[in-house]
Each structure stands twice: as C-alpha cells, then as structure tokens.
Amino acid sequence: MSGGLLVAGTTSDAGKSVVTAGICRWLVRRGVKVAPFKAQNMSLNSFVTREGAEIGRAQAMQAQAARVEPTALMNPVLLKPGGDRSSQVVLMGRPVGEMSARGYHGGRQEALLSTVVDCLERLRDTYDAVICEGAGSPAEINLRRTDIVNMGIARAARFPVVVVGDIDRGGVFASFFGTTALLDAEDQSLIAGYLVNKFRGDVSLLEPGLEMLRGITGRRTYGVLPFAHGLGIDEEDGLRVSLRGAVRESVVAPPHGEDVLRVAVCAVPLMSNFTDVDALAAEPGVVVRFVDRAEELADADLVIVPGTRGTVKALAWLRERGLADALVRRTAEGRPVLGICGGFQILGEHIEDEVESRAGHVDGLGLLPVHIRFDREKTLARPVGEALGAPVEGYEIHHGVADVRGGEAFISDDRGRSLDGCRAGSVWGTHWHGALESDAFRRRFLTEIARAAGRRFVPAPDTSFAALREEQLDRLGDLVEEHADTDALLRLIESGAPSGLPFIAPGAPGARA
C-alpha cells in the first residue's frame, strides 16, 4: 500500500483534526504504517519534538494516534499569531521571523510549496500512507493562488480529498455543494466526496439528503460520524480545552476525597498551550474553568496564569480587568497561584522585552523573585527533572530567559540543582509546559494545593493521563471504523480519487469546465 488522503473541511473547526486522528488510529490498528501531515498550521498550541523542533500540538496528537514519533516533517510550517495582522513563522521547527498576513500571502507562502512537498514526499517514502489535514476551507478563492495546505498540496501529491462538514452548525449540504462548486475543474477532480461530522439523531432521516447531494455533485458521502462528547483533543486555537468533555463533566465525577478542588485559568490574550490544564481536568473532583473577571477568582482553590504569545499584552490585560490586583490579594492571603511559561514571566518582578512586544522594561506582578529578559533565540527543549519528590517531564517553548533571584527551587535534577522555575510561599512558576501530565507529580502538587486551600480533596491514586489520552484516540478510531465506509476510504487512500467525477458549475472565478 502506498497512498494518501487529504481531509479538508467546509469551515474551520469542522472536525478535520479529530477526523485525521481517527483515520490514523483506524489505519494503524489495521497494520498500516501511517503518518499525519499538515503543510501549514496556524496555532498557539504547539509541541516540541524529540529533535527539538516546534510543531502544532494537533499534529503531535495525530502522530500519537498513528503510534509514531512526531517530527518536523509532519508540520513544516507553523504560524503563531502575535496579533490580528502578524505571526511568527516557524519553518521546519525553527522560528524564522515575524511576518504580516499580507507579506506571507503576498509571496512567501507560495515559495514554501517546494519545502512542504519535499516533506510530504519524504514521509511517503517511509510510510504506507500519509493522512493530510487541510486548513480552514479549500474554497477560500482569495487565497487559492498561494495555497499550500489544501488543494495546492492535494494537486501536487495527486491525493484524493474528503471534505468534512459539521452538521451540528447547520447548512452542511449547502456547504458541501458550495465548497465543491467554487473550485476549478482540476481541483474538483480530486474532491472524492464528503464526511458528515457531529450528527445527532436517526441517520435514516439524513439519507434522502445524502442521495440528493450525490445526485447534484456526483460524489458520495463516506460516512456520518455521530456527535460525541469529550473528543476535542488538542485544539488548534480558541478558548477551548483539548479534554473538552473532561473539563465540563469533571463536576459530576465524584471526588476521591470529601471535597472538590476548583481551578480558575485566566483567559489571557494570545493564550498558548492551554492544553496544560487537561491533566488537571482529568482528575476526579477537579473542576477547571476559564475566567476573565476578578470576582471569578474568589472561590478558586488554585489560579493558573497560562502561557501566552504576548506576555506584556497579557500583563496589561490582567491589570485592566482587575485580575492582577486579585492575584496580588490572594497571594497575600497565602492562596495558591501557578504561572506557566508566559504566566510565570508575568508573576516575576521585571520583564525586559525588546523582542516580542519591544516594550523594553516592564514591571511584573512581583509575586516571584524572578527577572525576565527576552532573547531573540527561542528555547525549544524536552527536559526531564524532579519536583516534589516525583519525576516530571515537559517541553519548553519561550523567548524569555529567567533569572531566579530567590525563593525555593521548583523543578530540579537528581542532585537537587534547580532546572526551572521557583516557588515563593503559595506562588509557583515554571517555563515547562506539559509538566502536569506526569501523574505522580500532579498528584503531589494537587495535594499541596488542597492543603493550602484547606480542602479535604484527595487525588485519585490511579488516574493515568496517558491512558486517558489513549482511550480518547481509540474512541476516535472506533468512530471512523463504525460509522464510515472504511472499505471505500481504503480504496481512496490506495488508488486516489475516482475517475470521471463531474464538474460542478460555476467553478472558481474565471474557470472553465
């Protein structure tokens, strides 16, 4: 077997990431050696590979679904927004500079096509199948000329395309038809059909519409996936958490002890790697919510200031909304606060930034004895250490360099030498993302928080975040296996789009059948 497939979508958040992961898990369970691929990703949720390359967390999750180690080949271009009009461009896992949207789409993006095609071909040389994820919609006609992630990569690789539509939003039939009808004839020849996502109810009621859709497009629907809670793992962006169901349903999961533990996460601007709180949400009796008002911190046993792509901007936002004062007050009362990456920097005394915001010297909240200096070189690492007497590992993605001038060590090596962050009373800070996924450390940290908060909360002794993640990925594989025409999908991956697919008028502007 040697082939591939592009999973496109009618819109952003149609379900491309999870469908791609589900197909990867289904294929690997069949014995197929498969890899995920996304030519260009725009996300503030990223991950560091073993070789020290930064890629989108969605692609790292898809690699886990495929049971392979993630590499930079799987996401050669990552765009990390720094505002409404500019992003940091990460190429092959390394930042290469800031660029405006106009500058990127004005020529740089098109020039990267050869790079992403080369990465895809290298994956195809190694794996039996490559499952590609598109971005947004393939029918963005204003961007088609420079497209390298949707029909641009599908045409370069001659991959068939399945378009995913979120029926829970409504208008899925019009979206399928319109997406196809806005493509030119060559692109349309690769659109093999459709996949309905998040359907609620009796599928038989949908079947007449699917038949009519086939009648007017000449293309079949490859499956109707039911709506399922708790499957939004490792989202690309937005105010969501990847263990979506766990966060919202943890309220009804009975605590192991007598009390629940309430965690408030400050929803700072340009929030990055909010997946850090997933492991907390997976704990029975831990209630996690995102907040943006000072009064919402009042009943929280732990407040987390998460990572951000705009440390100085997030600090100003906290001050403007009264959250900064609330954090200072709760610290004076001995109530726990945790800062992660950009949040750790915010909790320090001083920030010197001539790189990210170019704001120069800015006073932090002064809750940790730390001075931060932004360096042009980005730290990308996969460190391992010890905290609270338990092993801990994580990943680092930051320009800020911390000069710790007091407090206690937070994460140390096996000789007790500080590796990262610090603790001052009830305030903790670290640059490490993903540390809370280390089960033994997470349990000891929550025990400390419960003690400081006066809660009779006891962490469950057997919660395994890695096992929960595997269960979710298996559920995605089950959805594909049970609700999609897997024989037809396999033929697509092996043989490409069916020949003779009809052209749907009007096509792209100026196009001809």
Side-chain angles (χ1 to χ4, degrees), residues 235-252:
E235 298 283 349
E236 290 186 351
D237 263 317
L239 187 53
R240 300 178 180 89
V241 288
S242 63
L243 281 173
R244 217 183 268 171
V247 166
R248 294 185 182 167
E249 294 160 17
S250 60
V251 178
V252 299

Side-chain angles (χ1 to χ4, degrees), residues 138-473:
E140 307 288 358
I141 55 178
N142 56 315
L143 302 177
R144 177 61 187 91
R145 182 182 62 81
T146 57
D147 169 46
I148 63 172
V149 65
N150 289 304
M151 300 313 299
I153 196 69
R155 191 185 289 194
R158 303 308 302 170
F159 274 1
V161 179
V162 171
V163 181
V164 177
D166 179 356
I167 197 169
D168 198 48
R169 294 182 173 189
V172 73
F173 293 115
S175 298
F176 283 147
F177 180 85
T179 297
T180 309
L182 279 175
L183 302 176
D184 67 22
E186 186 173 352
D187 285 350
Q188 285 193 25
S189 71
L190 298 174
I191 303 292
Y194 314 107
L195 191 68
V196 176
N197 192 28
K198 301 182 185 177
F199 180 71
R200 305 172 192 252
D202 185 345
V203 175
S204 66
L205 299 177
L206 192 65
E207 288 172 352
L210 300 179
E211 284 303 312
M212 286 186 275
L213 181 67
R214 186 166 189 167
I216 60 176
T217 67
R219 291 159 174 84
R220 58 166 301 167
T221 298
Y222 285 84
V224 178
L225 306 185
F227 190 99
H229 292 281
L231 292 180
I233 53 180
D234 287 8
E235 298 283 349
E236 290 186 351
D237 263 317
L239 187 53
R240 300 178 180 89
V241 288
S242 63
L243 281 173
R244 217 183 268 171
V247 166
R248 294 185 182 167
E249 294 160 17
S250 60
V251 178
V252 299
H256 189 71
E258 296 180 48
D259 283 348
V260 299
L261 204 65
R262 296 174 176 84
V263 179
V265 185
C266 296
V268 297
L270 299 173
M271 183 166 54
S272 62
N273 288 70
F274 49 79
T275 49
D276 284 327
V277 304
D278 292 352
L280 294 180
E283 285 283 351
V286 176
V287 181
V288 179
R289 67 184 188 275
F290 288 91
V291 303
D292 59 5
R293 295 178 303 195
E295 56 268 28
E296 293 179 290
L297 304 188
D299 67 344
D301 301 307
L302 170 66
V303 174
I304 295 178
V305 185
T308 172
R309 172 84 165 86
T311 298
V312 171
K313 182 176 183 178
L315 176 57
W317 180 87
L318 289 169
R319 285 179 167 138
E320 289 165 4
R321 301 186 72 88
L323 286 158
D325 288 340
L327 287 169
V328 172
R329 286 194 300 271
R330 71 176 285 122
T331 301
E333 297 165 359
R335 303 176 67 197
V337 175
L338 170 65
I340 302 175
C341 199
F344 169 43
Q345 297 165 6
I346 285 169
L347 298 182
E349 295 173 341
H350 303 293
I351 299 169
E352 197 68 37
D353 181 11
E354 299 292 350
V355 176
E356 190 177 78
S357 67
R358 297 183 175 87
H361 178 85
V362 178
D363 288 333
L365 296 186
L367 305 181
L368 288 174
V370 177
H371 290 200
I372 299 293
R373 176 185 55 82
F374 274 71
D375 192 85
R376 295 196 179 279
E377 291 297 316
K378 180 185 280 191
T379 297
L380 296 169
R382 288 277 293 273
V384 176
E386 183 178 284
L388 301 178
V392 60
E393 57 184 277
Y395 55 100
E396 294 184 72
I397 307 169
H398 54 91
H399 285 277
V401 178
D403 177 11
V404 178
R405 302 187 175 189
E408 305 171 40
F410 187 2
I411 302 175
S412 306
D413 63 15
D414 55 5
R415 296 183 182 181
R417 295 174 299 193
S418 180
L419 292 178
D420 183 77
C422 71
R423 176 187 182 181
S426 63
V427 184
W428 314 64
T430 176
H431 271 130
W432 290 21
H433 294 290
L436 292 166
E437 295 179 19
S438 299
D439 296 329
F441 162 69
R442 181 179 66 254
R443 286 191 278 270
R444 295 187 187 189
F445 178 71
L446 288 175
T447 299
E448 287 263 350
I449 297 303
R451 184 182 300 118
R455 293 283 185 185
R456 290 173 295 181
F457 168 86
V458 179
D462 55 356
T463 302
S464 168
F465 184 74
L468 289 172
R469 171 60 57 85
E470 278 297 304
E471 288 175 14
Q472 281 198 313
L473 294 174

